[in-house]
């Protein structure tokens, strides 16, 4: 199991386009990838679930990755988060 945290920098928060980019990146991996914010959980491969987190600017989102390609998934998703979230 791998995990990391990412702070939402965008003034728009986790909006549709950023959720779509994250989901698209996550779908490349077979690992189960979960995002946790406050008491909400979302499958990162599902755009609607990600938007359902309602994470605004400054939110700390915790990502949990479990599976055979978790190392690669953690690296790529961390980079995605830092580039546009």
């Amino acid at each position: 199991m791998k995990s990391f945290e990412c702070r939402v920098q965008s003034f728009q928060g986790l909006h549709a386009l950023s959720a779509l980019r994250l989901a698209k990146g996550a779908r490349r991996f077979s690992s189960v990838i979960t995002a946790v914010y406050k008491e909400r959980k979302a499958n990162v491969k599902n755009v609607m679930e990600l938007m359902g987190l309602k994470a605004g600017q400054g939110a700390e989102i915790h990502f949990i990755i479990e599976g055979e390609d978790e190392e690669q998934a953690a690296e790529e998703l961390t980079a995605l988060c830092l580039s546009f979230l």
Side-chain angles (χ1 to χ4, degrees), residues 67-81:
E68 61 186 46
D69 55 1
E70 61 191 25
E71 287 281 339
Q72 292 172 318
E75 287 178 24
E76 184 164 324
L77 290 176
T78 299
L80 284 174
C81 286

Side-chain angles (χ1 to χ4, degrees), residues 2-84:
K2 288 291 196 180
S3 66
F4 67 94
E5 290 193 6
C6 183
R7 181 181 301 273
V8 178
Q9 301 295 323
S10 171
F11 71 93
Q12 297 173 327
L14 180 58
H15 55 88
L17 183 57
S18 58
L20 179 63
R21 287 178 177 170
L22 272 176
K24 189 175 180 182
R27 287 184 195 127
R28 295 180 53 226
F29 301 99
S30 63
S31 292
V32 174
I33 306 169
T34 306
V36 181
Y37 175 62
K38 294 190 176 181
E39 299 202 8
R40 295 184 177 117
K41 292 183 180 182
N43 174 354
V44 178
K45 297 176 183 181
N46 185 308
V47 176
M48 295 306 290
E49 286 188 30
L50 278 173
M51 291 176 57
L53 292 175
K54 298 181 181 179
Q57 184 179 27
E60 283 280 341
I61 302 174
H62 185 75
F63 291 86
I64 302 166
I65 306 166
E66 296 180 272
E68 61 186 46
D69 55 1
E70 61 191 25
E71 287 281 339
Q72 292 172 318
E75 287 178 24
E76 184 164 324
L77 290 176
T78 299
L80 284 174
C81 286
L82 292 174
S83 69
F84 63 82

